[in-house]
Amino acid sequence: MTRLSEEQKRDAALVVAAGCGRQTAADFVGCTIEQIQQAELTQPEFARELRRAEASCEIAHMRCVRQASNESRQWRSSVWWMETVRPERYGRGRSESLTRAAVNNFLSELAEAVAEEVRGDCDRERLLRRLEQMRWHTVADADAAAAQAAEGPS
């Protein structure tokens, strides 16, 4: 798999900071979602940069909501964005969906169980690779759903 250039990583972080998901970032910089996910897994600084980019967008919307008591007329769009993109934090009522962290924790625990319980090396390695693929696809699906939700109603 081709590594992302420094320019691609910088541009991906800018796209995420604007409020878009990783799929949109991949489309913008001309790579696949899998390449972005692989870079996150193997390059901790890039993963940190993407997390900060996500947080900066969330902070900007929260700032708008907080300023709503003054004169901001667009605060409802920020509330909508937060409820849609971060339902586990800002959604109305209880969210029925799992968070990315919950899915990652479950798959990590499952991988540990496979590593401990499956005796054959070939079977164990094959299962662990499959679990890692499942993690990537689950994160990609979640990012795509969040990006679609962030685009608003059709």
Side-chain angles (χ1 to χ4, degrees):
M1 193 174 293
T2 307
R3 287 179 58 100
L4 298 179
S5 70
E6 291 303 315
E7 181 181 8
Q8 284 176 307
K9 290 189 287 188
R10 185 187 67 244
D11 288 348
L14 289 172
V15 170
V16 170
C20 299
R22 282 166 175 70
Q23 183 62 57
T24 302
D27 293 342
F28 184 80
V29 303
C31 70
T32 65
I33 186 74
E34 289 82 9
Q35 286 174 288
I36 287 185
Q37 291 166 343
Q38 182 64 29
E40 283 184 273
L41 289 172
T42 60
Q43 300 168 34
E45 184 60 32
F46 178 59
R48 183 179 143 322
E49 188 176 349
L50 286 183
R51 286 192 309 273
R52 285 183 58 87
E54 285 176 324
S56 70
C57 185
E58 186 175 337
I59 289 166
H61 284 286
M62 183 57 82
R63 188 174 292 126
C64 184
V65 170
R66 290 201 55 175
Q67 293 172 348
S69 62
N70 296 334
E71 292 184 43
S72 179
R73 294 184 185 138
Q74 302 301 321
W75 66 273
R76 283 187 176 94
S77 64
S78 288
V79 171
W80 170 86
W81 184 91
M82 291 186 313
E83 288 175 345
T84 303
V85 174
R86 297 278 193 250
E88 71 278 4
R89 290 186 187 175
Y90 307 110
R92 295 180 184 172
R94 196 169 147 206
S95 174
E96 294 293 321
S97 60
L98 291 172
T99 64
R100 178 184 298 166
V103 171
N104 278 330
N105 287 340
F106 171 75
L107 289 175
S108 293
E109 288 180 23
L110 186 56
E112 285 179 34
V114 166
E116 292 172 6
E117 300 296 329
V118 176
R119 300 284 181 234
D121 290 342
C122 291
D123 289 339
R124 182 176 49 250
E125 290 304 316
R126 190 178 70 252
L127 282 169
L128 290 173
R129 278 194 306 273
R130 182 77 185 271
L131 287 172
E132 189 59 32
Q133 289 173 342
M134 291 168 63
R135 180 190 318 260
W136 284 5
H137 291 293
T138 301
V139 169
D141 291 347
D143 286 342
Q148 184 177 9
E151 291 173 5
S154 305

